Amino acid sequence: MRRDALILGASLLLMTEATAPVSAQVRQATGDEDVEAYLRAAGVYFGVHPNEVLILAEWRLHPEEVPVLLFMARAAGVSPDALAASRRDGASWSELAARFGIGAGAFFVDVGGGDPGAALFRAYERFRERPRSDWGAIRLDDREITMLVNLKFLAGHLRHPPRRILEAWESEASFVGVFSQLSRARSARRSHL
C-alpha cells in the first residue's frame, strides 16, 4: 500500500512538473548540455515528453540508463516512474526484465555479423549459440542490457547502422559521447547542403 502511494505521488509530481524548466539539480548533476540533449532525444525516440525524461533522470540513474528505463517501461506496459522506483529499490535491469517477462530477444540488435566488440562479445555469443526461439532463456547482465538498448535507441534515432554506433562507442566509451559526436557530424553535413 505504501509503495502504491509512493508511485502515485511520483506520478503526480511528474504531471505537475512536466512543463517546468529543467531543474538545476539535473544540470548540476550532469553539468553537461550533451547529456541534456541525449536525454531529450531519448524522450523523443520513446515518445515521452522530454521534460518528463529529465525528471526521471533525477531518480539517480546514470544518463545511459534512462533509455533502458523507457524501453523496458514500454515493453512491460508499466509507467517509467514505477520502474524507476523498483530500480531505486535495488532491482537490477536483469531482474526487472525477468519480472516483467522481457526476454533477451527484445534487446537484440542485429549488428550485421562479424565481431560486435569486446563489450558485447559474450552476449552475442549466447545469441549465436541458441535458436531464436530459445532466446528467452538467455540472461543478459545489466551492462549488456544498457549497451543493447542504447545501441537500439541511437541507431534508430540517429538513423545510423548499429555497426556505426558500436564503432563510435569503441572510441568514445560513452553513448552520450556517441550521440554528441554523431549529432554534430549530422548537423555539420546539413549545414553544408
Side-chain angles (χ1 to χ4, degrees):
M1 187 65 141
R2 181 171 182 238
R3 186 174 181 170
D4 291 341
L6 287 173
I7 291 171
L8 178 61
S11 298
L12 291 173
L13 176 66
L14 288 174
M15 288 188 295
T16 59
E17 293 187 10
T19 58
V22 177
S23 74
Q25 185 179 358
V26 170
R27 284 190 207 134
Q28 191 174 39
T30 63
D32 193 350
E33 290 176 11
D34 290 342
V35 172
E36 284 188 29
Y38 167 85
L39 293 172
R40 288 182 185 280
V44 169
Y45 183 78
F46 289 104
V48 176
H49 192 282
N51 285 341
E52 183 178 341
V53 173
L54 293 171
I55 292 167
L56 289 169
E58 292 180 5
W59 281 79
R60 295 187 195 132
L61 294 170
H62 186 280
E64 294 180 3
E65 289 185 292
V66 172
V68 179
L69 174 74
L70 299 174
F71 174 84
M72 289 182 66
R74 184 189 328 167
V78 300
S79 68
D81 52 318
L83 203 56
S86 293
R87 180 75 172 148
R88 189 175 188 175
D89 288 344
S92 69
W93 293 124
S94 183
E95 291 167 340
L96 291 170
R99 182 184 309 164
F100 290 105
I102 305 169
F107 299 103
F108 179 78
V109 179
D110 185 355
V111 294
D115 183 5
L120 287 172
F121 184 79
R122 266 192 38 193
Y124 279 88
E125 277 295 302
R126 286 177 288 183
F127 284 122
R128 286 184 197 119
E129 290 171 354
R130 297 175 182 258
R132 188 175 288 266
S133 60
D134 289 345
W135 283 1
I138 296 172
R139 291 290 169 246
L140 300 169
D141 65 32
D142 282 12
R143 184 164 191 258
E144 292 165 336
I145 289 172
T146 301
M147 289 192 70
L148 288 167
V149 170
N150 275 278
L151 182 58
K152 188 180 294 266
F153 152 53
L154 291 178
H157 181 75
L158 296 172
R159 297 189 174 133
H160 281 292
R163 172 70 59 192
R164 174 71 182 105
I165 303 297
L166 273 178
E167 289 167 358
W169 183 84
E170 292 205 359
S171 67
E172 291 285 333
S174 156
F175 285 107
V176 174
V178 169
F179 173 78
S180 178
Q181 174 194 56
L182 296 179
S183 294
R184 286 187 181 121
R186 183 171 65 176
S187 294
R189 280 193 309 273
R190 287 182 180 165
S191 68
H192 290 298
L193 295 179

